[in-house]
Amino acid sequence: MHAYDLSNARWRKSSYSDGDGGNCVEVLDNVPGVVPVRDSKVTDGPVLVVPAAAWAAFVAGVKA
C-alpha cells in the first residue's frame, strides 16, 4: 500500500457535483497512476485512492 502526502493538494470539484452543497465529490489531478477522491463536505475525512484506469472506466460509465 502506498502513502500519499495530500496535505498541500489542490482538489478539484467534479463537474457532476450539484451546486447546492450536496453530493460534492472532489478529485486530485496529476497523481501518477491513481485518482484520489474525497467528499468535499468532509475535507478532513477519508480519501479513496482509485487506480486511474478504474476511475476512467467509472467516469465513462457516468457519462453514458
Side-chain angles (χ1 to χ4, degrees), residues 5-51:
D5 179 9
L6 305 177
S7 58
N8 293 319
R10 296 184 65 137
W11 292 89
R12 176 178 58 85
K13 188 177 285 192
S14 169
S15 61
Y16 289 95
S17 294
D18 70 25
D20 296 334
N23 298 326
C24 297
V25 174
E26 291 181 326
V27 298
L28 277 179
D29 298 318
N30 300 323
V31 180
V34 298
V35 179
V37 182
R38 74 175 183 183
D39 181 343
S40 67
K41 298 179 302 302
V42 188
T43 58
D44 61 344
V47 174
L48 179 64
V49 179
V50 180

